[in-house]
Amino acid sequence: MTEKNLNIYNTLTRKKELFEPLHPPYVGLYVCGPTVYGDAHLGHARPAITFDLLFRYLKHIGYKVRYVRNITDVGHLENDCDDGEDKIAKKARLEKLEPMEVVQHYTTRYHQDMDALKVIRPSIEPHASGHIIEQIEMIESILDKGFAYEVNGSVYFDVVEYNKKYNYGKLSGRKLDDLICNTRDLEGQDEKKNNADFALWKKASPNHIMRWKSPWGEGFPGWHIECSAMSKKYLGEKFDIHGGGMDLLFPHHECEIAQSVAATGNEAVNYWVHNNMITINGQKMGKSLDNFITLREFFNGNHKALKKEYSPMTLRFFILQAHYRSTLDFSNEALIAAEKGLERLMEAKNKIEKIEPGKKGNVSIDQIKNKCYDALNDDLNTPIAISHLFDAVKIINSAFDKKTSLDKSQIDELSNLFNIFLNDIFGIESSQQADSSDDNKVEELMDVILEVRKNAREKKDFQISDYIRDKLNELNIEIKDTKEGASWSIKKS
């Protein structure tokens, strides 16, 4: 088994070939969502936009889609393995907050950022912490089938035992012998039979904040089990598409396959779809490299690596300009080029209604439209589809300048072309509309206020900083000071 490309054209002609829904009347789409312990960054934007595009397009060509995107709020450890501290719990401990305060705060901010990018909310957005029962039940089933073992209150998946009957590594192409030899020993993992085994349930240490009762004692679920349990609950034992970033292919998605097969005897997913990574000036994004840029910093320009602020629509268009399976490298020059390209498209779209109808021109708008469909039907090839829209831009500009002629039906077809692909499928709206939205103005204003307050605190002028905080509080705006800076939220009435 390997990751399969999406040839949606076959869907329209030979439905049994690909997306024939296994649970009529919808296509089941599950996407791994964020771990909500910090603000969303560019790496969160790419999968969100990629699968928003897929969601929009499947609906556009006539499918009903049940789109499930989870929120990881428990079980994701610092090193993404079986050792270390839960990311949410660590954030809560450092900031002296309840873990669910951290979850609520950053989930709200994630939704605000995704709304700015015009990412449609999923059909269902389950939280891992709300599905502990389902995860325990799946772990019990895996234990009953003999593919897991319990040690000192923790439960581990027995990869070697599983590999005797099935193939662990079939998605990523990894070999179990190599994994066992090359997996480093981590402190506290000597209770596992093999280094490659992974945690289904971890016993909670005395100081662990997030814990639940289970048949094996108090603890918390491993990272991988959450998606297997939640996808099964909302999409059934078999569903159509599972997506996420390329960084999740191994070990997360490989472990999901093993868990589902071990529990039910069948593979759950027909098609795995992975978007590739985003680099920044050729480097992987990371706080240690000082190139970690949040979406809010892109929107307001408040990062030293940015030459200016970029609208959410510019960022969305920048991501769509590359094929989702290709690496996308950010630079200011690339974003500025995307901004100019988007302006050309939007200017052309606005010119359409101003074209004076004349004699029928010698161009086929239907041909451009069909080429756009062909590109998206071929593994969501957005750069090719966008290039065909730029072919339409030439036709629009020529007719607008009265160098060529178009009749009313052709003008209407051009308007329809841009409404379908640019607005409905690509989710692009006018940059001017996006920049002038009330929400963005409020964000920009609050950034200025927090910057003034930050400067006052640095100068130890606590009278001014407290005055700003108290006045905002009177307006039902709450300020929270953390080690990473101040954040704000509107208090619920």
Side-chain angles (χ1 to χ4, degrees):
M1 176 183 178
T2 58
E3 180 181 341
K4 302 174 186 176
N5 298 339
L6 296 172
N7 190 337
I8 302 174
Y9 179 76
N10 285 340
T11 313
L12 305 177
T13 54
R14 301 190 303 277
K15 288 192 174 184
K16 290 183 181 179
E17 176 90 8
L18 189 61
F19 288 135
E20 183 69 21
L22 296 169
H23 308 284
Y26 60 80
V27 170
L29 169 62
Y30 187 93
V31 175
C32 292
T35 304
V36 284
Y37 67 104
D39 277 336
H41 51 74
L42 203 56
H44 290 114
R46 193 172 197 190
I49 290 171
T50 296
F51 294 103
D52 180 63
L53 171 72
L54 178 58
F55 185 31
R56 287 169 178 267
Y57 191 59
L58 286 173
K59 290 195 299 180
H60 175 74
I61 61 176
Y63 286 104
K64 291 183 178 180
V65 185
R66 178 175 287 177
Y67 176 17
V68 181
R69 184 186 67 204
N70 74 293
I71 294 289
T72 298
D73 57 1
V74 66
H76 198 166
L77 302 183
E78 275 293 307
N79 60 11
D80 294 348
C81 195
D82 300 324
D83 190 53
E85 191 170 10
D86 181 287
K87 292 180 178 180
I88 306 292
K90 181 178 180 180
K91 187 80 170 181
R93 178 178 56 79
L94 292 174
E95 307 215 358
K96 295 180 171 58
L97 297 171
E98 283 291 328
M100 289 305 134
E101 279 187 274
V102 174
V103 169
Q104 184 63 47
H105 176 71
Y106 287 110
T107 299
T108 298
R109 289 171 71 83
Y110 175 79
H111 285 151
Q112 290 170 346
D113 291 341
M114 294 304 109
D115 290 346
L117 291 168
K118 299 303 173 188
V119 171
I120 300 172
R121 303 276 179 105
S123 315
I124 304 172
E125 192 173 54
H127 287 232
S129 63
H131 295 77
I132 300 297
I133 292 173
E134 289 84 356
Q135 294 176 73
I136 289 174
E137 288 175 348
M138 180 168 267
I139 294 169
E140 287 180 317
S141 177
I142 295 171
L143 277 166
D144 290 343
K145 302 288 177 58
F147 295 116
Y149 55 93
E150 185 264 334
V151 182
N152 299 326
S154 294
V155 181
Y156 296 99
F157 190 92
D158 193 332
V159 173
V160 172
E161 190 63 30
Y162 172 84
N163 199 60
K164 291 177 181 177
K165 186 174 182 180
Y166 304 104
N167 178 12
Y168 183 79
K170 65 192 309 181
L171 180 66
S172 61
R174 311 268 181 127
K175 300 297 183 184
L176 181 56
D177 289 343
D178 294 338
L179 290 173
I180 292 174
C181 293
N182 296 329
T183 302
R184 60 193 176 97
D185 290 318
L186 293 172
E187 185 180 350
Q189 292 200 31
D190 53 355
E191 62 187 18
K192 296 198 301 185
K193 291 182 180 179
N194 297 284
N195 289 341
D197 294 350
F198 57 89
L200 299 172
W201 185 267
K202 287 289 289 181
K203 179 182 179 180
S205 61
N207 61 349
H208 197 92
I209 305 174
M210 303 174 77
R211 57 206 298 142
W212 288 265
K213 292 182 179 179
S214 79
W216 318 286
E218 287 196 348
F220 56 95
W223 174 32
H224 311 304
I225 194 68
E226 64 173 90
C227 289
S228 294
M230 290 189 287
S231 63
K232 179 175 178 289
K233 178 178 177 65
Y234 295 110
L235 298 176
E237 289 189 2
K238 292 184 71 67
F239 60 95
D240 304 287
I241 311 168
H242 192 318
M246 187 68 73
D247 57 323
L248 298 179
L249 192 150
F250 186 89
H252 188 49
H253 290 162
E254 195 73 73
C255 293
E256 277 193 62
I257 292 173
Q259 289 166 164
S260 296
V261 172
T264 68
N266 298 302
E267 290 188 19
V269 181
N270 275 355
Y271 285 80
W272 290 91
V273 181
H274 295 97
N275 63 273
N276 215 321
M277 299 295 98
I278 290 182
T279 56
I280 295 184
N281 294 317
Q283 289 183 308
K284 183 178 179 180
M285 185 170 60
K287 290 184 179 179
S288 61
L289 298 172
D290 203 22
N291 65 358
F292 185 88
I293 310 174
T294 69
L295 295 180
R296 291 176 185 239
E297 288 169 333
F298 274 104
F299 301 159
N300 59 37
N302 289 338
H303 191 284
K304 65 181 182 181
L306 300 174
K307 292 182 179 178
K308 60 182 295 256
E309 73 282 357
Y310 300 97
S311 76
M313 289 301 97
T314 296
L315 206 58
R316 184 176 178 105
F317 186 67
F318 168 69
I319 288 173
L320 291 173
Q321 277 188 309
H323 191 275
Y324 76 90
R325 286 192 291 110
S326 66
T327 302
L328 179 59
D329 187 51
F330 158 81
S331 66
N332 281 282
E333 291 71 24
L335 262 182
I336 290 169
E339 186 175 61
K340 290 179 179 177
L342 180 57
E343 285 175 359
R344 281 186 60 205
L345 283 173
M346 300 311 299
E347 286 172 1
K349 182 177 185 295
N350 293 333
K351 286 178 181 177
I352 294 173
E353 62 182 24
K354 299 175 183 177
I355 296 174
E356 293 183 12
K359 293 181 180 180
K360 187 176 181 67
N362 189 27
V363 294
S364 174
I365 312 304
D366 268 347
Q367 188 176 43
I368 295 176
K369 184 177 180 180
N370 290 335
K371 286 180 179 179
C372 288
Y373 277 119
D374 288 343
L376 293 183
N377 290 337
D378 183 15
D379 199 21
L380 297 178
N381 201 325
T382 52
I384 296 298
I386 288 171
S387 72
H388 293 312
L389 288 182
F390 277 111
D391 290 338
V393 169
K394 296 176 185 176
I395 295 170
I396 293 166
N397 289 337
S398 180
F400 181 82
D401 294 336
K402 298 183 179 179
K403 295 179 180 178
T404 55
S405 178
L406 297 173
D407 67 11
K408 187 177 184 306
S409 66
Q410 290 176 312
I411 295 171
D412 290 342
E413 287 171 3
L414 280 169
S415 180
N416 186 49
L417 175 73
F418 274 72
N419 285 334
I420 287 175
F421 287 95
L422 198 60
N423 299 137
D424 296 346
I425 296 174
F426 292 158
I428 299 289
E429 68 173 25
S430 166
S431 294
Q432 185 177 4
Q433 288 174 329
D435 288 340
S436 63
S437 69
D438 290 342
D439 286 345
N440 283 337
K441 291 300 179 187
V442 171
E443 291 281 350
E444 292 170 11
L445 178 60
M446 285 303 302
D447 286 337
V448 172
I449 293 172
L450 291 181
E451 186 66 25
V452 171
R453 184 171 177 269
K454 176 185 175 184
N455 291 337
R457 285 169 62 85
E458 288 175 350
K459 294 176 182 177
K460 300 191 183 302
D461 190 346
F462 298 112
Q463 184 177 356
I464 291 295
S465 68
D466 291 347
Y467 175 81
I468 293 173
R469 181 198 62 205
D470 295 341
K471 283 298 181 183
L472 289 174
N473 191 57
E474 290 175 12
L475 296 173
N476 236 23
I477 298 174
E478 183 179 21
I479 301 296
K480 287 187 177 181
D481 293 305
T482 70
K483 291 183 178 180
E484 296 178 1
S487 63
W488 66 275
S489 61
I490 298 175
K491 293 188 292 185
K492 294 181 180 180
S493 56

